[in-house]
Amino acid sequence: MSKNLVVLGAGGLARQIVGVVDDIDDITLLGLTGEPDEHSLRNDTPLLGGDEVLKTLDTAYVIGVANLLVRRKLEEYATAAGREPATVVHPTARVEKRVSIGPGGVVMPAAQVQEAVELDRHVLVDANVLVCHEAVVGSHVTISPRAVVGARSTIGDGTTIGMGAVVLPDVTVGEEAVIGAGAVVTKHVPAQTTVVGVPARVLR
Ligand SMILES: CC(C)(COP(=O)(O)OP(=O)(O)OC[C@H]1O[C@@H](n2cnc3c(N)ncnc32)[C@H](O)[C@@H]1OP(=O)(O)O)[C@@H](O)C(=O)NCCC(=O)NCCS
């Protein structure tokens, strides 16, 4: 049976998730929430209004906003409204055996998630990402396009990994860290630290 879905947000990430959902047969997309921007107006997906529509619609949801604080607030709001997060995996993504994808997880086209990876709640695995075997990824982590998360590495809750960045195997990244685009992370990154470059160095 087809499952109803609302994407929370109306910006670029939300529209990208709409494109993913369009390719999944057993999800019926009801629409987006939030304020339209100039680009939203080019998208024909219904804008349902504010997040309060979650209280009235019989639907699952995923979060389509990149900002970490907003993501966490939206999860709290949706939970209080009695809504369950969906898990959205594009048909071209390769998810190997014994992978666990937490509620609210979104896996974009051509991503690969290898054997025994654990993705906590509301993890975004963007297009062409590779998450290698036995990596453990915390809640609300965003892994941007073409990034690679090495085998057995641990990514703390709320961390953002930029486009094309590489986290080497067995490395731990703390909570709410930011890994710059193209960085190569060779050693532990403390919580709430931004690193950039090859090898990655602390920016702040
Ligand atoms: C790391 C990052 C968060 C820093 O953003 P910021 O705080 O706005 O940093 P700034 O642009 O002010 O740059 C600060 C310095 O870091 C350097 N820098 C910024 N990003 C860098 C990167 N990815 N790699 C190497 N150096 C970088 C800048 O050149 C600048 O150096 P300078 O002081 O010598 O001129 C950001 O540049 C980044 O890489 N974000 C990832 C974006 C992404 O992948 N988004 C996903 C979209 S799908």
Side-chain angles (χ1 to χ4, degrees):
M1 202 179 81
S2 179
K3 178 194 266 190
N4 288 342
L5 182 78
V6 168
V7 179
L8 302 183
L13 177 58
R15 293 192 297 274
Q16 199 187 343
I17 294 173
V18 167
V20 171
V21 170
D22 280 346
D23 291 344
I24 302 176
D25 291 337
D26 62 352
I27 295 182
T28 302
L29 180 67
L30 301 183
L32 305 169
T33 64
E35 291 296 317
D37 61 22
E38 63 196 89
H39 303 292
S40 305
L41 300 177
R42 288 189 224 143
N43 187 296
D44 58 3
T45 310
L47 275 167
L48 302 170
D51 301 315
E52 61 278 3
V53 295
L54 281 182
K55 292 183 181 157
T56 56
L57 293 172
D58 180 14
T59 183
Y61 76 96
V62 288
I63 298 172
V65 175
N67 179 278
L68 177 61
L69 290 178
V70 178
R71 292 176 69 80
R72 286 179 167 158
K73 280 197 177 140
L74 286 172
E75 182 189 14
E76 261 178 45
Y77 184 86
T79 304
R83 295 299 158 226
E84 297 286 333
T87 300
V88 170
V89 178
H90 192 266
T92 62
R94 175 167 166 79
V95 177
E96 293 182 4
K97 285 184 188 157
R98 291 173 281 276
V99 167
S100 70
I101 302 179
V106 175
V107 182
M108 298 269 183
Q112 186 176 357
V113 186
Q114 290 183 344
E115 182 74 18
V117 162
E118 292 174 27
L119 306 179
D120 203 336
R121 305 180 333 274
H122 296 286
V123 171
L124 172 65
V125 177
D126 215 316
N128 294 95
V129 160
L130 171 60
V131 185
C132 296
H133 55 94
E134 287 118 20
V136 177
V137 178
S139 64
H140 291 287
V141 167
T142 294
I143 312 176
S144 302
R146 293 202 182 278
V148 179
V149 174
R152 301 170 302 277
S153 54
T154 301
I155 312 297
D157 294 347
T159 281
T160 298
I161 301 179
M163 289 179 286
V166 174
V167 177
L168 291 189
D170 300 301
V171 166
T172 297
V173 176
E175 293 186 6
E176 298 173 20
V178 176
I179 313 294
V184 175
V185 179
T186 57
K187 58 184 185 194
H188 172 64
V189 175
Q192 296 176 332
T193 300
T194 298
V195 297
V196 295
V198 182
R201 304 278 186 224
V202 173
L203 178 65
R204 62 172 173 268

